[in-house]
């Protein structure tokens, strides 16, 4: 079973190369320069607090998207680190989280598409050392107007949840593996020429643990390259190791640079 999933994941890893080659051959004359370009943005925020408590927080994010004639690529990476002082005045890390995902859509007629998505989440304070998943299925763009877009999708997948060791990013001595059903939606609203709203929601359902990830953001563009963004992230696990909470929330205000 594991070998079959590994083979499928390896096959999906080479699809971006194949898709770009196909689009280069079949759609070079049809696509505009804007369609061929990647949309890349980096986002950063920093908080330094002193007085009754001394804390230092750094949040970094990167997003990349490519919307071609037949294929759509979406990549995301996040890093959150917070360092504070304990009761003895010693420096200690109070938050450390890393997240990455890559999604590949094959467009079909009538706003339908096939999707493949890989996610990796390492939160050292969640009780899990890392959670990784792969899912595939079918989606549909139900709304597509100049101001609004709405995508909904569903499909099966496979998830690995690692409990030990703490200092590992890939290897695992104690892990739980399960089949999942993945359901997701993405809504975008272009409020004005300089402001936009976005809501991304996904859940992975299994017999052992059901996860939820909800990201809400409001972006105000300053010029062609810079913007301000307010983001609220909620993550939840239905089952967690002893001593940890089921729900985490993050609210960040950050500066965004678009290439």
């Amino acid at each position: 079973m594991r070998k079959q999933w590994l083979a499928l994941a390896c096959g999906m890893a080479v699809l971006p190369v194949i898709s770009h080659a196909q689009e280069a051959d079949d759609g070079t004359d049809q696509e505009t320069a804007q369609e061929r370009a990647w949309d890349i943005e980096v986002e950063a925020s920093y908080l330094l607090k002193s007085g009754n408590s001394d804390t230092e927080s750094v949040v970094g994010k990167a997003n990349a998207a490519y919307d071609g004639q037949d294929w759509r690529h979406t990549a995301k990476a996040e890093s959150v680190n917070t360092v504070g002082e304990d009761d003895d005045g010693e420096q200690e890390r109070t938050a450390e989280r890393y997240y990455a995902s890559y999604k590949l859509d094959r467009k079909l007629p009538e706003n339908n598409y096939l999707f493949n998505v890989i996610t990796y989440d390492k939160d050292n304070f969640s009780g899990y050392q890392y959670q990784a998943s792969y899912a595939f299925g079918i989606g549909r763009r139900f709304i597509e107007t100049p101001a609004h877009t709405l995508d909904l999708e569903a499909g099966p997948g496979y998830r690995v949840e690692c409990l030990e060791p703490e200092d590992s990013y890939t290897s695992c001595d104690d892990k739980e593996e399960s089949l999942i059903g993945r359901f997701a939606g993405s809504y975008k609203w272009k409020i004005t020429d300089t402001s936009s709203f976005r809501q991304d929601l996904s859940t992975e359902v299994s017999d052992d643990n059901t996860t939820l990830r909800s990201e809400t953001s409001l972006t105000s563009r300053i010029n062609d390259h810079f913007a301000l963004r307010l983001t609220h992230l909620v993550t939840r696990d239905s089952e967690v190791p002893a001593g940890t909470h089921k729900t985490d929330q993050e609210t960040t205000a950050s500066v965004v640079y678009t290439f």
Side-chain angles (χ1 to χ4, degrees), residues 43-244:
E43 179 179 344
S45 64
Y46 176 79
L47 173 63
L48 178 63
K49 182 179 179 182
S50 61
N52 293 320
S53 62
D54 295 327
T55 60
E56 183 179 18
S57 299
V58 178
V59 178
K61 300 180 182 181
N63 299 289
Y66 173 91
D67 196 349
Q69 181 180 2
D70 297 320
W71 299 85
R72 181 167 50 234
H73 306 256
T74 307
K76 175 188 287 286
E78 300 174 358
S79 173
V80 178
N81 281 273
T82 301
V83 177
E85 290 187 355
D86 58 18
D87 296 336
D88 298 326
E90 299 292 331
Q91 292 284 322
E92 67 172 355
R93 194 175 300 276
T94 57
E96 184 178 8
R97 182 179 67 82
Y98 307 96
Y99 176 83
S101 68
Y102 172 71
K103 184 167 176 283
L104 175 64
D105 299 335
R106 178 60 166 94
K107 296 181 181 179
L108 301 175
E110 299 181 357
N111 284 339
N112 297 312
Y113 61 91
L114 300 175
F115 76 86
N116 298 265
V117 59
I118 300 174
T119 67
Y120 176 88
D121 190 0
K122 180 175 176 62
D123 187 340
N124 289 341
F125 293 84
S126 68
Y128 294 102
Q129 299 317 314
Y130 69 79
Q131 295 169 291
S133 68
Y134 167 75
F136 63 94
I138 190 166
R140 179 177 176 85
R141 177 156 292 183
F142 284 90
I143 300 175
E144 187 171 26
T145 69
H148 304 274
T149 59
L150 173 64
D151 295 338
L152 299 176
E153 57 193 39
Y158 170 75
R159 182 175 63 211
V160 176
E161 296 175 309
C162 179
L163 299 172
E164 295 181 7
E166 293 186 6
D167 57 351
S168 173
Y169 288 85
T170 55
S171 63
C172 189
D173 296 333
D174 182 9
K175 63 183 176 182
E176 299 173 352
E177 301 172 88
S178 58
L179 295 177
I180 59 172
R182 185 181 190 274
F183 306 91
S186 179
Y187 170 68
K188 301 176 185 177
W189 174 24
K190 184 180 179 181
I191 304 172
T192 66
D193 290 339
T194 59
S195 61
S196 60
F197 171 86
R198 178 166 182 163
Q199 173 66 54
D200 292 316
L201 180 66
S202 64
T203 182
E204 296 177 352
V205 181
S206 73
D207 293 335
D208 299 326
N209 181 27
T210 295
T211 65
L212 173 72
R213 179 183 171 91
S214 173
E215 185 173 5
T216 308
S217 63
L218 182 64
T219 304
S220 178
R221 187 162 298 282
I222 301 172
N223 54 37
D224 290 341
H225 293 288
F226 286 97
L228 300 176
R229 178 171 295 159
L230 181 65
T231 304
H232 182 63
L233 175 66
V234 179
T235 58
R236 178 177 173 82
D237 289 89
S238 63
E239 299 295 333
V240 296
T244 56

Side-chain angles (χ1 to χ4, degrees), residues 4-31:
Q4 293 176 344
W5 281 101
L6 180 60
L8 184 58
C10 291
M12 294 314 305
V14 302
L15 270 177
V17 179
I18 298 174
S19 67
H20 276 300
Q22 289 178 336
E23 290 192 16
D25 293 337
D26 301 335
T28 302
D29 297 332
Q30 300 177 16
E31 292 182 273

